[in-house]
Amino acid sequence: MTAVAHLIARLEAARAGWLRLPRQTLARHLVLAVGFGLAFYVLSVYISPYRDSQLATAAYYFTALVGLTVLTGLNGQLSIGHGALMAIGAYATVLLIGRAHFALVPTLVAVTVITATAGGVLGAGAARLRGPYLAGATLALAVGLPALADGYPGTFGGDNGLTVAPPTPPASLGLSFPLTRWEAWIAGVGALVAFVVVANLLRGRAGRVFRAVRDHEVSAQLVGIPVARTQVLAFTLSAACAGLAGGLYVVVNQLAAPGAFQLSLSLSLLTGVVLGGLGTLGGAVWGALALVFLPAWATNLSHAISLPTNVSSNLPLALYGIALAGGMLLAPRGIQGALGRAGQWLGVRLRKSTSNEEGSDEQDHK
Amino acid sequence: MLPRGEDVARGALRVSGLSVHFGGLVALSEVSLDISAGEVLGVIGPNGAGKTTLFNVICGFVAPREGDVLWRGHSLRRTPTHRRASLGIARTLQGVGLFPALSVLENVMAGADHRRRSGLLSGLLGLPRADRDESELRAIASTMLERLDLAEVAQRLPDSLPYALQKRVALARALVCEPQLLMLDEPAAGLDSGDIARLRELISELKGSMAVMLVEHRIDVVTELCDRVAVLDFGRLIASGPPEAIKSDPKVLEAYLGAEQPYA
Ligand SMILES: Nc1ncnc2c1ncn2[C@@H]1O[C@H](COP(=O)(O)OP(=O)(O)OP(=O)(O)O)[C@@H](O)[C@H]1O
Ligand SMILES: [Mg+2]
């Protein structure tokens, strides 16, 4: 135990010293982003191209979940329509790159703005709706919007959707550089941008105001917070994240098709953000990982017990339901909350055991 | 007609001919009253008399069917609630109404929110000006917490505090707006005598620096603190004047006779 206590003391000293983050908000989160970016880079280089594509998928899920963190976690508005907002981002990306021949970065910026605008309009309607009504309205969006693609096959490619060419890794990376790794890097950068912006928001007054509106609308108005405007703003920011996630989806999959943005996507996003831990960025990370790995496990499981296809194709969704219900019972504050509690528990245990060792002499005297 | 300057000099708030109906229920009926800067006005009346409704109209939660609220001579008819806060009108709720997931400090910082200067974009970008704003808000809020002896509980969540402290935090959140009019809805309800003594002290400190409207069932508190008292009964203003005169007003005594709330 003394070795562990020693290690903890060293770690705490390190945290007090060189590991301390800058106090200025932007600098602080840029430092964190660089750290996470490095970890992401190292990971992406050491894993197989297949794992790289999973990493890329986790990155765009994370981006979408960050949006739900703002909306549902911070502002208390429930959206079952974020899959549809991702669809807007994805289709806009394909159209801008494929038809208007935009470069990738301007495309992603434009797509974020476009989806944010759509989200703002939606949010303006949503600000008048409460709880189940808002959920219903966003549900209608999740169901209705993908159907729009069928209605205008000339523009949106109907059921088959639209495709774009994959991004090309720069020649300097070598000819054998895996495409999936390059895609993961792009998606990773997008996710980090979303992280920095939302981390700034969480730390500053906007985060406080969002939570105040979520907690008590009447008191929020009394202290001078424009409640409806705040709710629209949360929707706009959240939609911006979803739109960027849709753009990153296209970078990874080279496709925007109705089948990818069904209601099940919206539901799994919601599952991810709740399962990971509502309202924290750490929770969005766990949620994204869950969204990547749960379906893969479900597929393996259904192969293992050789289920008929119509059952096995629905298994991931069923698994989400089970994971969500089980998670809510076992860890109501999600994976992030459970980890935080476990960390606290461990810390208390360790501190207790070390202080017992140190204090054992004194106790002997008593 | 009197020049508007008269209104401004006379005081902060003028309520004229207010009527509020909820379906068939008349919650307020042609209520008119004035309150001048620095004055403490008691608003009393039996349960359901319309006291909270009067506050709701003044802060903008309830639109009156008739009548108007003038704040320093300007009608508030078109001013939404959240704008009234920045005009200097603050209020506490009859319960507590804190933000449960925000710490005590954050609750009070939220109260000072409209005093910030930087915009949303600098917040999203985490720019230094947003940080400066935050530390200013934090300083303002901390000062207020110290003033109300709440500094030790700054990092606690409201629900973990005793009721009396929660109410004091709600008061801190209202005061940090630096209001010109403070509406207190039963601030002493649920407090023990020690807490009430503190509250009295605090309100008498506020006297003169802002107008205070005080809804309170405890007549001793009202008599001690208020310059004037307005009495509501079934939505009507049945009497108003200095506390001593009100106490012996036959109409007031009659209104309270048989009411479950003992008027003494
Ligand atoms: N939003 C509302 N809808 C319908 N009726 C209401 C509403 N608000 C208040 N009332 C009714 O209006 C009347 C006045 O209520 P109000 O809350 O103003 O009384 P009060 O004087 O504050 O009473 P108390 O001492 O119990 O707090 C009551 O009969 C109440 O039931
Ligand atoms: Mg009341």
Side-chain angles (χ1 to χ4, degrees):
Chain A
M1 262 314 167
T2 32
V4 179
H6 197 67
L7 187 70
I8 288 180
R10 287 279 293 274
L11 276 176
E12 271 173 8
R15 205 173 70 173
W18 59 272
L19 255 177
R20 192 189 295 156
L21 290 167
R23 299 186 61 188
Q24 205 282 311
T25 303
L26 182 60
R28 177 190 189 91
H29 296 142
L30 286 179
V31 167
L32 278 176
V34 168
F36 293 148
L38 276 176
F40 189 94
Y41 164 78
V42 171
L43 187 66
S44 73
V45 172
Y46 278 96
I47 58 183
S48 68
Y50 171 66
R51 293 286 179 206
D52 268 328
S53 76
Q54 285 187 321
L55 192 60
T57 307
Y60 71 69
Y61 274 141
F62 171 80
T63 311
L65 292 184
V66 159
L68 272 183
T69 294
V70 171
L71 187 71
T72 308
L74 233 52
N75 199 226
Q77 301 187 77
L78 186 65
S79 165
I80 315 183
H82 262 50
L85 291 169
M86 268 182 81
I88 293 177
Y91 275 98
T93 304
V94 176
L95 291 174
L96 284 177
I97 292 180
R99 305 254 165 101
H101 305 292
F102 270 46
L104 182 62
V105 173
T107 300
L108 291 179
V109 172
V111 157
T112 306
V113 173
I114 290 169
T115 321
T117 312
V121 174
L122 191 67
R128 293 169 203 280
L129 298 175
R130 291 282 167 271
Y133 301 102
L134 175 59
T138 53
L139 174 68
L141 184 76
V143 174
L145 200 74
L148 207 63
D150 288 334
Y152 299 92
T155 315
F156 299 120
D159 260 350
N160 295 329
L162 302 168
T163 56
V164 281
T168 37
S172 55
L173 290 171
L175 283 177
S176 61
F177 191 82
L179 175 63
T180 51
R181 188 172 300 163
W182 179 239
E183 291 166 358
W185 287 4
I186 297 173
V189 170
L192 284 176
V193 170
F195 162 78
V196 169
V197 171
V198 173
N200 291 343
L201 180 136
L202 274 166
R203 190 167 189 249
R205 69 163 278 271
R208 183 174 54 246
V209 167
F210 281 14
R211 288 184 292 148
V213 167
R214 172 197 67 193
D215 282 359
H216 206 301
E217 282 186 25
V218 166
S219 288
Q221 278 177 294
L222 280 181
V223 299
I225 297 170
V227 167
R229 205 191 306 157
T230 305
Q231 286 170 330
V232 174
L233 187 66
F235 228 107
T236 307
L237 287 170
S238 181
C241 292
L244 178 59
L248 299 175
Y249 174 93
V250 171
V251 169
V252 176
N253 297 302
Q254 289 91 49
L255 173 75
F261 303 103
Q262 296 295 335
L263 177 60
S264 55
L265 174 64
S266 296
L267 290 178
S268 46
L269 289 176
L270 206 57
T271 310
V273 80
V274 175
L275 206 58
L278 213 49
T280 63
L281 289 171
V285 173
W286 305 123
L289 292 177
L291 291 187
V292 171
F293 288 110
L294 277 184
W297 290 339
T299 316
N300 290 346
L301 188 69
S302 62
H303 281 319
I305 54 179
S306 59
L307 287 170
T309 44
N310 59 340
V311 179
S312 67
S313 62
N314 283 317
L315 196 61
L317 214 55
L319 209 63
Y320 287 151
I322 294 167
L324 196 57
M328 286 304 90
L329 287 174
L330 296 174
R333 292 169 67 195
I335 300 173
Q336 179 73 9
L339 285 179
R341 279 238 299 277
Q344 263 175 12
W345 181 81
L346 203 68
V348 169
R349 290 296 297 258
L350 285 174
R351 228 164 290 144
K352 233 186 229 163
S353 65
T354 55
S355 69
N356 276 353
E357 273 168 35
E358 285 160 12
S360 54
D361 295 347
E362 288 171 36
Q363 274 170 6
D364 286 345
H365 288 299
K366 277 177 192 167
Chain B
M1 199 175 157
L2 288 170
R4 239 204 358 238
E6 172 73 2
D7 270 338
V8 178
R10 177 78 231 283
L13 187 83
R14 163 164 291 180
V15 165
S16 59
L18 277 192
S19 293
V20 171
H21 295 208
F22 293 116
L25 184 110
V26 182
L28 286 179
S29 171
E30 291 170 29
V31 171
S32 300
L33 47 86
D34 281 303
I35 173 164
S36 23
E39 187 185 25
V40 178
L41 174 72
V43 179
I44 65 170
N47 287 111
K51 306 178 295 291
T52 299
T53 303
L54 177 63
F55 278 13
N56 282 342
V57 173
I58 295 172
C59 79
F61 283 145
V62 169
R65 163 189 271 217
E66 268 162 68
D68 203 0
V69 177
L70 298 180
W71 175 239
R72 294 167 172 166
H74 298 279
S75 168
L76 291 180
R77 195 179 283 278
R78 292 181 185 288
T79 312
T81 298
H82 71 267
R83 292 265 309 123
R84 298 186 193 198
S86 50
L87 291 178
I89 300 178
R91 136 172 209 199
T92 63
L93 294 172
Q94 192 164 343
V96 175
L98 293 172
F99 305 116
L102 302 195
S103 71
V104 165
L105 178 68
E106 287 175 312
N107 262 281
V108 179
M109 284 173 79
D113 191 72
H114 68 260
R115 290 168 66 173
R116 87 220 168 237
R117 262 164 282 131
S118 66
L120 174 75
L121 200 62
S122 38
L124 287 180
L125 296 178
L127 296 184
R129 69 207 326 270
D131 279 346
R132 265 200 305 278
D133 243 13
E134 273 292 282
S135 40
E136 232 166 82
L137 283 191
R138 183 166 297 122
I140 293 171
S142 301
T143 310
M144 181 53 68
L145 287 180
E146 250 156 54
R147 187 171 150 203
L148 297 195
D149 284 332
L150 290 165
E152 284 99 84
V153 296
Q155 299 305 328
R156 299 267 294 273
L157 289 179
D159 288 345
S160 71
L161 300 178
Y163 187 71
L165 282 193
Q166 293 184 25
K167 286 203 91 147
R168 215 189 297 161
V169 175
L171 193 57
R173 190 181 64 186
L175 281 174
V176 81
C177 295
E178 296 199 327
Q180 296 302 300
L181 171 66
L182 177 66
M183 295 184 277
L184 301 174
D185 202 345
E186 304 197 14
L191 303 194
D192 65 27
S193 53
D195 294 322
I196 292 179
R198 274 199 58 98
L199 182 72
R200 288 179 172 190
E201 214 173 286
L202 183 78
I203 295 176
S204 38
E205 275 171 33
L206 297 178
K207 219 168 177 164
S209 63
M210 63 185 70
V212 178
M213 286 177 85
L214 177 66
V215 167
E216 190 45 66
H217 280 300
R218 300 202 27 154
I219 194 62
D220 53 333
V221 175
V222 172
T223 321
E224 179 194 329
L225 293 174
C226 297
D227 304 305
R228 275 188 310 133
V229 178
V231 189
L232 289 175
D233 187 29
F234 289 113
R236 292 181 178 281
L237 185 71
I238 56 169
S240 88
E244 294 309 322
I246 289 295
K247 262 178 158 174
S248 50
D249 189 310
K251 271 191 289 188
V252 176
L253 292 176
E254 196 194 312
Y256 272 94
L257 217 63
E260 33 185 300
Q261 201 80 30
Y263 182 64

